[in-house]
Amino acid sequence: MLSLLPVQKLLRQLPAGPAGRPKKTAGGDTAEEVTSPVLATEAGQPTCYSALRAEELRPLATTKPMVATGTGPPPRHDDLKEMLDSNKDSLKLEAMKRIVAMIARGKNASDLFPAVVKNVACKNIEVKKLVYVYLVRYAEEQQDLALLSISTFQRGLKDPNQLIRASALRVLSSIRVPIIVPIMMLAIKEAASDMSPYVRKTAAHAIPKLYSLDSDQKDQLIEVIEKLLADKTTLVAGSVVMAFEEVCPERIDLIHKNYRKLCNLLIDVEEWGQVVIINMLTRYARTQFLSPNQNESLLEESAEKAFYGSEDEDAKDAKAEAASLAKRKPYVMDPDHRLLLRNTKPLLQSRNAAVVMAVAQLYFHLAPKAEVGVIAKALVRLLRSHSEVQYVVLQNVATMSIKRRGMFEPYLKSFYIRSTDPTQIKILKLEVLTNLANETNISTILREFQTYIRSMDKDFVAATIQAIGRCATNIGKVRDTCLNGLVQLLSNRDELVVAESVVVIKKLLQMQPAQHSEIIKHMAKLTDNIQVPMARASILWLIGEYCEHVPKIAPDVLRKMAKSFTNEEDIVKLQVINLAAKLYLTNSKQSKLLTQYVLNLAKYDQNYDIRDRARFIRQLIVPTEKSGALNKYAKKLFLAQKPAPILESSFKDRDHFQLGSLSHLLNTKAVGYQELPDWPDEAPDPSVRNVEVPEWTKCTSREKRKEKVEKPFYSDSEGESGPTESADSEPESVSEESGSSSSSSSSSSGSEEEDEDEEEGSGEQSEDKEEEEEKRLKRKEKEGSQKAASGSTGSLSEEEEEEEGAKKAKKKKAPQGRKGHAETSSEEASASESSSSGSDYGSETEAKQRKAPTRAGPKEISLLDLDDFTPPPPQPIPSSSIVSTSLVTDLEGLTLTDTSLAPALLSPAFGAVRTYELLHRMAGEGLSVEYCFSRRPFPGDPHMVAVQIQISNNTDAEVKSLRVSEPKPLSGMRIQEFPEIERLAPGDTVSVVMGIDFCDSTQAANFQLCTHTRHFYVSIQPPVGELMAPVFMSENEFKKEQEHLARLGEGKLMGMSEITEKVTLPEKCRSDHAIVQQVTSAANVGRVPCGADNEYRFAAKTVTSGSLVLITLERREGAAAQLIVNSEKMVIGTMLVKDIVQALAQ
Amino acid sequence: MLDNGFPLATESNILKELIKPPTILRTVVNTITGSTNVGDQLPTGQLSVVPWRRTGVKYTNNEAYFDVIEEIDAIIDKSGSTITAEIQGVIDACVKLTGMPDLTLSFMNPRLLDDVSFHPCVRFKRWESERILSFIPPDGNFRLLSYHVSAQNLVAIPVYVKHNISFRDSSSLGRFEITVGPKQTMGKTVEGVMVTSQMPKGVLNMTLTPSQGTHIFDPVTKLLSWDVGKINPQKLPSLKGSMTLQAGTSKPDENPTINLQFKIQQLAISGLKVNRLDMYGEKYKPFKGIKYMTKAGKFQVRT
């Protein structure tokens, strides 16, 4: 009672407003009086003592009113408000301290928001800091009021002191108010180019905060990240990589240029930054370099085999075989890979356990086997630190020790267990020791285990017995010793130990039961004493299973068990039934009645499992008239050979998680876990990491490009033409399968091919999308030109000329910078490239020839439709070629570089270009005109669609001054005529290009085609697919745009901007290739890379208005598919859907 | 310290700058002037190239102390033979030097160090090539280096324990006898010896008489601790007596392990010796001091 008094007094005095402060201390003193009157009577208390009292009381003072008013009306903080409104900083500080203390204790202080926010401009830095803490906590709840404070931070962002700039940004970015996202974005962008590295670091920290607030900002944030990644200061490096990991870990391409810099800076980065960078670089290296152990894996195949599932193994075998067949050249480590290993090694000496662990996992995942050993020492060192660190390190060591046993063998003794270790540490150490056990050290380990068995920690003893069991299974030499040891344990006084031993012995005996009838007999005796159900069940199972080895004892055991049946646990009862059944089958004479008895008991058991089992077994073993055919096989059913269980480590499959990660620790995939990619089969281009003087970059990038073009050709002819062939004949997979099954030689070649394909695939995947896209374009472009080249022997086709003409024009118009690049490159490399492309021709023509039949298909049909007289498709006419041959050869080299000039301009799609008739030869009196959409950008005007017109003169007279006249365009439509053709000799064909701006409508363009004698009214009606030009975008951009469009639609009417259609894909149009081809032939769209493999995405812009058209084709099961077209232009969308559906149905 | 969960400043010197650690003097000053321990300057340390060192350090007495402390981790088995023993050493420093001193510390026998980890201030390259520790020290106390002398090297065990602990099956009494003695101490005295042992659950009480020091047996936690103090080689300390066991239960099948703590001043058991300490970059002559000590780490005797 007495002790309560001071507190009550205190409480009464507390709600006394701002003046309550001094009173409170007075209250404290009265408390003093009561408890220690001696001290209170002393007038001159030591100052420090009273000060201490005051300090102590403060938390007390803030807690008590809360507790007191907790049940009553909501707390009013009038006193706090008044304190905050006062002029004195000390009062404000006091109030803020109390408020922050409330927040820390989880009390709601949000009603103070207005009063607190006012103080954001306070001069006192301490008050300011506390206000910031408050703001960060409550701004999300009171967004409108929080906006009041923003201007203060914005002012802070301009402060000359870098530290203030930084903290302003830090607080601003911590305030989670969606309205200020643009302000944050702006602030981050500005801070990213701040002079002070500290501010830039803070900017990097702010990026993930903004991203978590509004993930729509991703693209802009990536730009900032890209910029910051290029930063050369160590202060920034760690933070920006952290931001990178949070925001866009998939954009591994951003790292290329900074890779070497990061490696070199690494040692000077602060510790936590090092951890992040090392983890990121591990992932990077896994995608960019080859496995350093691939050669060894061939040699150690047998050793590795155990670690792979059978399927993997087969695949791996096949691959390895293929590799050995191909006589893969010896592995040479990429110098960049080596750089990473070299620069991280010193960090093993870090004092920070996290850094050491990060380096250790990097070495484990990336280093050649011979070098991984260096990490063992450092990890063993970490075992000295706190038990938390120990726990994590031991988990990782346990995983490593399975894969690389040799690594930790010298440190075996460091894993010996002390009685003072916590149990989970003991068990982990035991795990490691068991993993390390081999024939040479097993005796030491077993001796050590013997001491452990006597430990007081029973869980640990049980784990030790398990470990002994595992050692016995793994090392055949010591199996008998272990077994004997375990049998001795059976006479242990502790029941748990005995039970665990019984279970382990059971498993061990299963491996070689015949030799151990003695042990079984011994165990049979134990049934009298052991009470642990699991152990009893194990013994009964053993006796039942091997009743033939102990024919005399078994029935006796059954008799005893039958007696105690009703008192047994359920698992024991089940085993008794089991034993009875087995005995009945082997020794029915002695045990028939007993079995009947047991089954009868079981029939009336409380547990339905047991009743069910009894019923089932009775039907099975006791022959009756009704019992079915199974009766005969009862013996086979019950006494079948059972495989011995394999005792294995629980850490066996953990290494598919990145070591050191939370997922690895938990052995389940944690949220946000980034899968560690597998090594690529083919090294991606190492030159992407080259960073040198700007000219250099150009050069290398060009070299790289060339390489790219050359390299894929082999695979090209396989990968590209393969599907086309198969589309005609039969699916590739079938042929492959049959190949592999038929004979060994063909199978090896088949697998080799497959390997090749795979390599190509994975290589492409790992490369950044941009490059991939570029490459594909180039391939297409080249194919296009090659088609022409091979079609005409020696000279160029019209088409090519056209292109060159266009290019020439473009080149003239192109801005100086671009042009310079193109020209220099063409000049420098024209020789080499033309020669290289020349040499390529051989292989390409091959590919081309294979392709030829498919492409000829539609044309032949059209030939059949018309008469024989129809002019053949574009024929080269040497005389009409405007460009001189020398120029042609000059320009030939350009075709390679030209597309790279403007990667955004996409080249025409492959596949047949459809030609339409403009003027039939009958109607045109011998003059026939056809047109097609070349899908090249019209050189004069980007808003025009280029229409290639082919005019053939089938008359026997010359046609003169062929031109377009009197175009009658509809509103807004424009036509750019082709230059007048002076004369066209009989039998000749000429091809020209004209540009038409269709204004994004499918209205026909009408005009007159004039000759010197006649006028023909003609009209060109574009299919909707030709009204657009492909655009390049990444998957993310695509998604963003799609969302954007979808939202537009919501604003107006649903379905305004999105059209969805269900499609059934015909048989021949199910392969990736076919789908892409059909879509791209129906519309002039560019493919967008897509992560999911059952989805195809295409994007284009309408030529005139430039509005986006996004196509998504999602394949469902079987033939079903869903087509989604997003476009602002509803009409175009609808028509496009129709066209694509039609194209797909063909 | 943390920004959005990402560690921002963990360097203790910077944190101390932000909030000054409380001292009695400061508490007094704070009470009088009404100020707090929160630093009023901005933490400029984060900006410097050597983030671990404050700028503008000034001392009237410039001094640098280094403590070489080694801990022996060992497991000794029943018969007294060493199962495993290794040495974990640290060099803790207390550097109070004005300005920006650049120190180098060299060892007589650096090859001894099997595995080292450094404070970030140590220049790793120099260590790799010359085995010399070269660093700009943080201000005040810090751990310069921690090292490991592995079990492969023979580790001298400075003490031995003779024990005779037995439980008799029939009676409810057990015998308990421990003697601690010095061994390979290189002529130094073993001090601060402390023996602790976790007795089995069956032990109800112990009646023991120590030849020196004091002992406590806690019947709840079953923890026996014996504070021995200094070991006198002429008269070895011992603890003898009997244990009362719970009646009716069988004897515990395990013997307790004995944990040992001790200290040996002026000795680094691995034999590590600092050769010299030089200072560059500042004019004044500092006072330098080196101290060696060996301690028991996780020193366990199985019985």
Side-chain angles (χ1 to χ4, degrees):
Chain A
M1 213 43 235
L2 198 73
S3 62
L4 271 174
L5 197 64
V7 181
Q8 282 170 345
K9 251 187 201 169
L10 202 68
L11 286 180
R12 233 172 289 131
Q13 281 167 355
L14 264 178
R21 247 326 273 153
K23 267 191 196 168
K24 240 179 282 161
T25 17
D29 284 341
T30 44
E32 215 72 71
E33 262 169 63
V34 179
T35 48
S36 57
V38 188
L39 267 179
T41 46
E42 258 179 20
Q45 263 185 34
T47 40
C48 70
Y49 183 77
S50 68
L52 265 175
R53 287 300 306 175
E55 288 288 334
E56 274 171 36
L57 271 174
R58 202 173 296 154
L60 191 74
T62 43
T63 343
K64 291 301 168 190
M66 285 295 125
V67 177
T69 51
T71 50
R76 295 170 57 94
H77 305 291
D78 293 337
D79 53 333
L80 285 173
K81 275 182 194 158
E82 271 180 60
M83 281 162 86
L84 284 170
D85 289 341
S86 77
N87 291 326
K88 279 187 190 159
D89 277 356
S90 58
L91 278 179
K92 283 183 180 174
L93 188 61
E94 188 56 41
M96 280 317 295
K97 276 186 180 171
R98 281 171 60 184
I99 292 168
V100 171
M102 279 162 69
I103 296 174
R105 244 179 275 117
K107 298 276 168 354
N108 187 6
S110 57
D111 52 336
L112 286 164
F113 201 91
V116 175
V117 167
K118 262 183 274 175
N119 287 303
V120 77
C122 179
K123 288 280 178 295
N124 186 322
I125 200 158
E126 228 175 306
V127 175
K128 216 172 192 171
K129 275 182 194 165
L130 293 174
V131 172
Y132 287 177
V133 171
Y134 183 90
L135 264 180
V136 170
R137 169 69 182 78
Y138 283 112
E140 206 172 3
E141 289 175 22
Q142 311 225 356
Q143 310 212 343
D144 296 340
L145 284 170
L147 292 179
L148 295 176
S149 62
I150 302 300
S151 62
T152 321
F153 301 123
Q154 279 179 308
R155 224 175 303 132
L157 288 171
K158 299 273 186 298
D159 198 279
N161 188 330
Q162 48 180 347
L163 287 164
I164 293 179
R165 284 205 301 275
S167 49
L169 178 61
R170 184 171 306 133
V171 180
L172 181 68
S173 59
S174 300
I175 295 176
R176 293 181 54 84
V177 178
I179 310 163
I180 61 159
V181 163
I183 298 174
M184 273 161 81
M185 192 66 229
L186 207 70
I188 290 174
K189 273 184 180 163
E190 256 174 46
S193 41
D194 198 282
M195 264 169 42
S196 150
Y198 185 67
V199 178
R200 296 203 296 270
K201 181 190 175 78
T202 317
H205 279 287
I207 290 170
K209 292 188 223 168
L210 178 54
Y211 180 63
S212 72
L213 185 62
D214 180 10
S215 52
D216 287 347
Q217 305 292 322
K218 188 171 178 180
D219 290 329
Q220 287 194 62
L221 288 175
I222 290 176
E223 275 170 36
V224 182
I225 290 174
E226 195 171 2
K227 187 175 174 189
L228 286 171
L229 273 174
D231 205 299
K232 285 192 173 56
T233 48
T234 52
L235 211 54
V236 184
S239 306
V240 69
V241 171
M242 184 268 304
F244 170 82
E245 289 282 85
E246 290 271 314
V247 178
C248 52
E250 74 283 354
R251 287 293 303 274
I252 209 90
D253 57 294
L254 296 179
I255 303 300
H256 289 317
K257 292 272 177 252
N258 302 300
Y259 173 81
R260 287 178 195 162
K261 185 195 73 195
L262 282 175
C263 282
N264 288 323
L265 286 184
L266 193 56
I267 194 147
D268 295 322
V269 176
E270 41 90 34
E271 291 163 347
W272 303 107
Q274 284 172 346
V275 176
V276 180
I277 295 177
I278 292 170
N279 283 325
M280 187 274 293
L281 287 179
T282 310
R283 222 155 33 79
Y284 177 85
R286 268 298 183 100
T287 59
Q288 299 300 317
F289 306 126
L290 291 179
S291 165
N293 297 321
Q294 57 189 5
N295 290 345
E296 282 132 81
S297 66
L298 277 183
L299 300 172
E300 291 175 27
E301 226 173 338
S302 54
E304 294 244 312
K305 248 179 195 170
F307 295 107
Y308 292 94
S310 58
E311 273 174 71
D312 286 318
E313 210 174 294
D314 290 348
K316 208 179 153 70
D317 279 1
K319 240 190 254 176
E321 217 176 293
S324 59
L325 277 173
K327 288 255 157 51
R328 202 180 271 188
K329 58 182 180 224
Y331 168 76
V332 181
M333 191 186 269
D334 191 295
D336 288 325
H337 191 173
R338 175 50 67 202
L339 178 79
L340 177 61
L341 292 177
R342 199 176 52 227
N343 280 344
T344 47
K345 197 175 170 189
L347 294 178
L348 282 174
Q349 249 77 45
S350 171
R351 64 172 174 173
N352 187 323
V355 177
V356 178
M357 195 55 235
V359 179
Q361 65 85 17
L362 180 130
Y363 260 75
F364 181 76
H365 289 301
L366 299 181
K369 273 202 177 114
E371 291 170 46
V372 181
V374 295
I375 63 174
K377 205 186 266 181
L379 288 177
V380 170
R381 187 185 69 226
L382 292 186
L383 290 182
R384 266 284 294 188
S385 44
H386 314 285
S387 60
E388 293 83 4
V389 175
Q390 262 188 56
Y391 181 72
V392 175
V393 171
L394 279 170
Q395 288 256 2
N396 287 292
V397 169
T399 307
M400 288 185 198
S401 58
I402 289 174
K403 261 249 153 116
R404 311 266 155 88
R405 181 193 292 162
M407 201 161 93
F408 290 99
E409 252 175 30
Y411 305 97
L412 183 71
K413 289 189 171 174
S414 303
F415 298 103
Y416 279 7
I417 293 152
R418 288 161 213 279
S419 59
T420 43
D421 288 331
T423 307
Q424 65 269 48
I425 300 282
K426 283 180 183 165
I427 287 169
L428 279 173
K429 280 186 172 177
L430 202 60
E431 174 72 39
V432 175
L433 285 176
T434 319
N435 291 340
L436 293 181
N438 60 18
E439 300 206 344
T440 49
N441 59 22
I442 185 68
S443 54
T444 354
I445 290 179
L446 280 182
R447 208 176 309 134
E448 189 64 21
F449 282 176
Q450 271 172 16
T451 34
Y452 300 162
I453 285 171
R454 293 210 310 267
S455 165
M456 293 181 222
D457 186 343
K458 290 303 164 212
D459 291 340
F460 170 54
V461 174
T464 310
I465 294 168
Q466 295 273 8
I468 293 174
R470 264 179 58 202
C471 286
T473 40
N474 294 342
I475 302 160
K477 205 180 75 178
V478 293
R479 193 167 297 155
D480 291 339
T481 331
C482 289
L483 206 49
N484 287 335
L486 289 172
V487 169
Q488 276 169 28
L489 283 180
L490 290 179
S491 46
N492 194 296
R493 242 175 290 117
D494 193 290
E495 200 173 62
L496 278 168
V497 175
V498 180
E500 197 67 43
S501 319
V502 168
V503 175
V504 173
I505 289 174
K506 186 203 99 184
K507 287 178 183 163
L508 285 181
L509 283 185
Q510 246 183 303
M511 290 181 191
Q512 34 191 181
Q515 304 156 25
H516 299 292
S517 51
E518 274 309 305
I519 296 174
I520 297 173
K521 275 178 200 161
H522 182 85
M523 289 173 75
K525 283 176 202 153
L526 285 171
T527 43
D528 296 341
N529 303 321
I530 293 186
Q531 293 305 323
V532 179
M534 187 61 202
R536 283 177 84 85
S538 290
I539 295 173
L540 290 175
W541 184 86
L542 259 181
I543 294 169
E545 187 67 24
Y546 305 115
C547 52
E548 276 153 337
H549 299 289
V550 281
K552 284 185 182 152
I553 294 172
D556 201 42
V557 173
L558 181 61
R559 180 182 60 80
K560 281 185 187 166
M561 295 316 295
K563 235 161 64 178
S564 62
F565 185 84
T566 43
N567 300 324
E568 298 288 352
E569 284 280 327
D570 288 348
I571 44 166
V572 185
K573 281 178 181 168
L574 288 175
Q575 287 307 327
V576 174
I577 298 171
N578 210 351
L579 171 68
K582 283 172 181 170
L583 278 177
Y584 183 87
L585 291 170
T586 51
N587 186 3
S588 61
K589 201 169 66 179
Q590 268 186 303
S591 53
K592 192 174 179 182
L593 286 171
L594 270 173
T595 309
Q596 298 273 355
Y597 177 64
V598 167
L599 288 176
N600 279 332
L601 282 178
K603 196 176 169 184
Y604 300 106
D605 199 90
Q606 286 192 322
N607 188 315
Y608 48 79
D609 268 349
I610 293 168
R611 294 199 300 271
D612 274 359
R613 180 75 65 91
R615 207 171 302 137
F616 163 68
I617 283 180
R618 191 194 291 272
Q619 287 304 313
L620 206 56
I621 58 171
V622 183
T624 55
E625 288 91 65
K626 272 191 284 177
S627 63
L630 276 176
N631 206 334
K632 274 179 274 177
Y633 303 106
K635 195 165 182 177
K636 276 188 181 164
L637 281 173
F638 279 104
L639 294 167
Q641 278 287 325
K642 294 165 187 85
I646 301 156
L647 300 172
E648 56 188 20
S649 166
S650 57
F651 286 82
K652 213 192 91 176
D653 294 323
R654 285 231 187 151
D655 64 322
H656 64 271
F657 289 117
Q658 185 170 8
L659 289 184
S661 63
L662 178 66
S663 304
H664 173 264
L665 197 71
L666 301 174
N667 203 13
T668 45
K669 202 162 177 282
V671 177
Y673 172 70
Q674 291 271 327
E675 200 84 41
L676 192 65
D678 215 353
W679 294 103
D681 288 332
E682 185 85 353
D685 187 11
S687 60
V688 287
R689 283 181 292 278
N690 287 344
V691 264
E692 238 78 36
V693 260
E695 282 108 287
W696 240 100
T697 351
K698 268 185 197 163
C699 258
T700 46
S701 64
R702 199 168 52 71
E703 263 169 25
K704 164 194 92 188
R705 224 177 283 137
K706 210 163 76 186
E707 249 175 48
K708 284 259 172 60
V709 177
E710 278 168 33
K711 224 196 313 183
F713 263 110
Y714 178 47
S715 47
D716 212 2
S717 56
E718 298 218 326
E720 288 266 312
S721 67
T724 11
E725 269 180 342
S726 64
D728 282 0
S729 53
E730 59 181 297
E732 203 174 20
S733 59
V734 175
S735 68
E736 242 174 40
E737 272 170 40
S738 65
S740 61
S741 61
S742 61
S743 72
S744 64
S745 65
S746 69
S747 79
S748 68
S749 71
S751 64
E752 199 179 38
E753 210 172 55
E754 194 183 77
D755 197 11
E756 214 90 54
D757 279 0
E758 262 179 38
E759 274 173 25
E760 198 209 359
S762 63
E764 269 181 10
Q765 268 174 17
S766 56
E767 256 156 38
D768 57 309
K769 292 160 193 164
E770 215 169 329
E771 273 173 5
E772 200 181 323
E773 187 64 22
E774 213 175 315
K775 204 163 73 183
R776 195 181 310 136
L777 289 181
K778 230 162 284 157
R779 206 184 293 156
K780 277 186 216 160
E781 183 72 30
K782 209 158 181 191
E783 257 176 22
S785 65
Q786 252 104 55
K787 269 180 229 162
S790 57
S792 64
T793 43
S795 63
L796 288 162
S797 72
E798 298 287 342
E799 212 179 68
E800 177 120 330
E801 266 176 42
E802 247 356 297
E803 194 185 323
E804 249 118 35
K807 243 159 244 163
K808 243 172 67 180
K810 204 182 349 171
K811 231 170 101 178
K812 272 173 198 152
K813 284 195 176 173
Q816 194 61 36
R818 271 184 169 183
K819 192 175 139 196
H821 174 45
E823 266 176 359
T824 45
S825 59
S826 72
E827 270 159 27
E828 275 167 16
S830 64
S832 68
E833 268 180 25
S834 62
S835 71
S836 73
S837 60
S839 64
D840 281 337
Y841 275 19
S843 62
E844 283 149 33
T845 40
E846 234 179 74
K848 157 78 180 97
Q849 272 163 8
R850 278 201 241 167
K851 256 195 150 169
T854 44
R855 205 172 316 112
K859 275 184 193 161
E860 267 163 11
I861 294 163
S862 70
L863 279 177
L864 283 173
D865 278 352
L866 302 169
D867 313 11
D868 306 351
F869 295 105
T870 336
Q875 283 294 316
I877 307 156
S879 62
S880 70
S881 65
I882 314 148
V883 200
S884 73
T885 42
S886 65
L887 189 58
V888 170
T889 47
D890 269 355
L891 287 169
E892 194 178 40
L894 258 180
T895 51
L896 273 180
T897 44
D898 201 338
T899 41
S900 65
L901 248 181
L905 292 175
L906 288 218
S907 63
F910 48 77
V913 177
R914 270 184 58 194
T915 52
Y916 305 87
E917 189 160 85
L918 191 63
L919 189 63
H920 193 261
R921 106 192 129 88
M922 302 305 277
E925 294 171 11
L927 192 71
S928 77
V929 183
E930 283 183 325
Y931 67 91
C932 66
F933 295 91
S934 64
R935 295 191 173 182
R936 294 204 168 75
F938 188 67
D941 188 332
H943 295 307
M944 286 190 173
V945 177
V947 186
Q948 186 167 342
I949 297 179
Q950 199 173 325
I951 308 164
S952 324
N953 185 2
N954 296 327
T955 56
D956 38 12
E958 210 172 57
V959 178
K960 283 178 190 165
S961 66
L962 205 58
R963 65 185 188 279
V964 172
S965 76
E966 290 179 41
K968 280 189 211 145
L970 291 163
S971 58
M973 218 180 256
R974 292 174 300 141
I975 295 178
Q976 175 75 51
E977 298 126 57
F978 56 87
E980 186 175 323
I981 299 165
E982 294 282 318
R983 56 190 64 220
L984 191 61
D988 269 3
T989 304
V990 74
S991 173
V992 288
V993 174
M994 63 187 285
I996 304 172
D997 181 354
F998 287 103
C999 280
D1000 292 350
S1001 79
T1002 46
Q1003 302 278 0
N1006 302 313
F1007 56 90
Q1008 277 185 0
L1009 194 66
C1010 309
T1011 64
H1012 63 299
T1013 52
R1014 292 252 357 214
H1015 293 239
F1016 305 105
Y1017 286 96
V1018 290
S1019 67
I1020 293 179
Q1021 182 157 28
V1024 68
E1026 305 297 343
L1027 291 176
M1028 47 195 75
V1031 283
F1032 165 73
M1033 54 172 69
S1034 70
E1035 192 176 353
N1036 289 322
E1037 282 173 308
F1038 184 90
K1039 280 184 189 156
K1040 214 177 111 189
E1041 291 292 351
Q1042 198 171 22
E1043 242 170 66
H1044 177 70
L1045 282 173
R1047 217 176 294 150
L1048 262 182
E1050 269 167 42
K1052 298 171 192 167
L1053 262 173
M1054 280 304 282
M1056 282 291 272
S1057 65
E1058 188 171 292
I1059 298 143
T1060 313
E1061 183 79 34
K1062 289 222 160 39
V1063 192
T1064 316
L1065 297 175
E1067 192 65 46
K1068 63 176 181 179
C1069 191
R1070 283 188 200 161
S1071 70
D1072 290 6
H1073 185 82
I1075 289 172
V1076 173
Q1077 198 172 21
Q1078 287 304 329
V1079 175
T1080 45
S1081 71
N1084 189 14
V1085 290
R1087 176 128 189 235
V1088 174
C1090 177
D1093 52 290
N1094 58 346
E1095 244 185 57
Y1096 306 89
R1097 292 183 180 147
F1098 307 90
K1101 264 189 176 140
T1102 57
V1103 172
T1104 308
S1105 63
S1107 49
L1108 270 177
V1109 180
L1110 306 175
I1111 303 170
T1112 316
L1113 185 70
E1114 199 181 328
R1115 262 171 72 189
R1116 300 274 164 78
E1117 267 160 47
Q1122 191 179 33
L1123 180 72
I1124 303 168
V1125 173
N1126 293 81
S1127 173
E1128 281 176 70
K1129 306 233 166 195
M1130 207 177 71
V1131 183
I1132 288 192
T1134 341
M1135 294 175 81
L1136 192 60
V1137 168
K1138 219 179 284 169
D1139 279 11
I1140 293 175
V1141 169
Q1142 204 177 0
L1144 285 172
Q1146 272 170 12
Chain B
M1 262 195 87
L2 292 173
D3 186 8
N4 197 30
F6 189 76
L8 191 65
T10 48
E11 194 64 51
S12 64
N13 274 300
I14 294 174
L15 295 178
K16 275 180 197 164
E17 220 178 311
L18 285 170
I19 299 174
K20 298 191 180 76
T23 59
I24 292 175
L25 181 72
R26 208 168 276 143
T27 324
V28 175
V29 172
N30 287 349
T31 337
I32 295 164
T33 60
S35 62
T36 55
N37 284 343
V38 180
D40 43 4
Q41 313 138 295
L42 292 163
T44 45
Q46 277 172 316
L47 309 173
S48 89
V49 256
V50 275
W52 55 84
R53 190 170 177 87
R54 284 196 292 139
T55 44
V57 185
K58 266 206 182 103
Y59 289 101
T60 42
N61 294 327
N62 289 300
E63 41 195 19
Y65 297 106
F66 293 88
D67 296 357
V68 180
I69 301 166
E70 296 193 336
E71 294 190 357
I72 304 175
D73 290 354
I75 301 175
I76 313 286
D77 80 351
K78 218 180 223 167
S79 59
S81 56
T82 312
I83 290 178
T84 168
E86 49 194 23
I87 296 169
Q88 303 282 346
V90 292
I91 299 184
D92 282 344
C94 175
V95 177
K96 295 182 171 175
L97 296 173
T98 309
M100 271 286 171
D102 194 338
L103 303 179
T104 55
L105 184 80
S106 61
F107 296 104
M108 303 271 262
N109 38 10
R111 304 272 155 210
L112 210 63
L113 306 180
D114 195 31
D115 181 35
V116 279
S117 74
F118 301 112
H119 189 274
C121 68
V122 177
R123 298 183 180 102
F124 185 75
K125 291 248 163 61
R126 193 90 189 272
W127 170 259
E128 283 284 89
S129 54
E130 301 170 58
R131 297 271 154 186
I132 284 174
L133 292 175
S134 157
F135 55 97
I136 294 172
D139 185 45
N141 293 310
F142 66 100
R143 176 156 295 178
L144 176 67
L145 167 81
S146 55
Y147 60 90
H148 180 98
V149 178
S150 75
Q152 276 102 327
N153 301 27
L154 273 181
V155 177
I157 305 291
V159 290
Y160 70 89
V161 178
K162 263 201 251 170
H163 52 85
N164 182 9
I165 302 170
S166 60
F167 305 100
R168 262 162 288 166
D169 233 340
S170 51
S171 77
S172 59
L173 280 178
R175 255 166 45 128
F176 187 92
E177 195 177 333
I178 300 181
T179 311
V180 187
K183 181 172 98 173
Q184 296 173 297
T185 57
M186 333 261 169
K188 305 280 195 297
T189 42
V190 183
E191 323 171 329
V193 181
M194 176 96 168
V195 177
T196 49
S197 180
Q198 177 72 53
M199 304 309 282
K201 285 198 188 71
V203 179
L204 280 184
N205 210 347
M206 301 180 88
T207 30
L208 303 167
T209 32
S211 68
Q212 81 179 69
T214 52
H215 81 281
I216 298 169
F217 175 72
D218 184 344
V220 181
T221 57
K222 315 286 182 202
L223 190 74
L224 169 75
S225 55
W226 174 31
D227 192 350
V228 184
K230 212 178 271 182
I231 296 182
N232 181 0
Q234 270 74 49
K235 190 176 166 291
L236 294 180
S238 64
L239 182 67
K240 284 181 197 167
S242 62
M243 301 176 276
T244 327
L245 302 179
Q246 208 165 358
T249 54
S250 50
K251 69 160 192 177
D253 48 6
E254 73 274 345
N255 276 346
T257 49
I258 298 166
N259 294 304
L260 213 61
Q261 277 168 41
F262 56 82
K263 241 191 270 180
I264 305 172
Q265 300 283 359
Q266 298 308 315
L267 173 75
I269 199 85
S270 65
L272 186 77
K273 274 226 147 50
V274 172
N275 188 20
R276 55 182 296 137
L277 176 72
D278 298 304
M279 190 183 77
Y280 305 95
E282 295 288 334
K283 292 279 187 303
Y284 56 87
K285 235 178 128 56
F287 180 79
K288 299 175 276 195
I290 301 244
K291 199 168 83 178
Y292 298 94
M293 183 157 48
T294 298
K295 286 204 272 188
K298 296 171 180 167
F299 197 100
Q300 212 161 72
V301 182
R302 292 175 179 164
T303 61

